[in-house]
Amino acid sequence: MEWTPSRVALSAAALILIASAGARLSAHGNVTPQAVDTSALPDLEGGNDKWVQHNPYRGNAKAIEIGQSAYGQNCARCHGLDAISGGIAPDLRYLELGDSGDEWFIQRFQHGSVRDGKVYMPPMGEVLGQKAGWAIRAYLETKHSED
Ligand code: HEC
């Protein structure tokens, strides 16, 4: 097949169409969660499916590193880069530290938030898994602010 100028122009136009369709999709927040590799983290006692209420990885340097990247890929588009909210969703630096903050955090992570039939936040538990959730929580505690 010859690459005549008109063919080249056509395929360039097709590429632009595909690219803008992609941009439209993400503008609607229709983004597939990005799997998180948590194999470097210790397994949880009851397995990944038995949800615990307190962070088993608090202060764990490896978890904080994994959590930072997982946050950037899955939460930042709503909760803001570096955990600083631009106002679309709550600023997660203000979550309570420690065990009581853990319970609230993991409940939201697992089930998201649906009010009056509207999805404010999609559930993350099944797609990302518990280990990723606690890694993100460990990262967020390093960003905590009292202001
Ligand atoms: C599509 C946007 C969106 C994404 C993606 C998202 N969230 Fe949320 N999140 C929200 C909104 C909106 C709320 C507030 C819900 C409400 O008011 O009922 C919220 C609430 C929360 C809360 C409760 C905050 C509070 O102050 O009460 C936590 C914790 C939380 N999200 C964690 C996460 C984590 C961790 C991720 C990534 C794994 C994430 N969210 C991804 C939109 C999102």
Side-chain angles (χ1 to χ4, degrees):
M1 176 164 76
E2 282 261 342
W3 282 97
T4 59
S6 68
R7 272 228 174 80
V8 173
L10 248 178
S11 51
L15 270 181
I16 288 166
L17 262 178
I18 290 166
S20 62
R24 247 198 326 275
L25 273 182
S26 54
H28 282 209
N30 200 354
V31 176
T32 317
Q34 298 296 304
V36 179
D37 181 2
T38 53
S39 54
L41 295 175
D43 282 329
L44 300 173
E45 244 171 62
N48 208 23
D49 291 337
K50 188 167 176 291
W51 289 77
V52 297
Q53 294 304 303
H54 301 137
N55 194 352
Y57 303 143
R58 183 178 302 150
N60 177 322
K62 191 73 200 169
I64 292 168
E65 184 191 319
I66 291 171
Q68 175 165 19
S69 139
Y71 175 90
Q73 290 188 302
N74 293 291
C75 322
R77 68 192 161 90
C78 293
H79 290 283
L81 286 177
D82 289 330
I84 301 169
S85 170
I88 308 176
D91 194 308
L92 300 181
R93 291 173 301 163
Y94 302 129
L95 285 176
E96 216 179 306
L97 292 172
D99 285 355
S100 55
D102 281 354
E103 289 164 26
W104 177 240
F105 170 87
I106 208 64
Q107 135 79 24
R108 274 288 181 256
F109 174 81
Q110 207 178 342
H111 303 294
S113 172
V114 181
R115 286 188 279 135
D116 300 327
K118 269 184 70 181
V119 177
Y120 285 80
M121 171 174 157
M124 298 283 177
E126 242 164 71
V127 272
L128 298 182
Q130 177 170 203
K131 290 171 77 175
W134 288 124
I136 293 169
R137 168 69 173 160
Y139 159 68
L140 286 172
E141 280 202 323
T142 70
K143 292 284 180 182
H144 180 78
S145 165
E146 295 285 349
D147 297 340

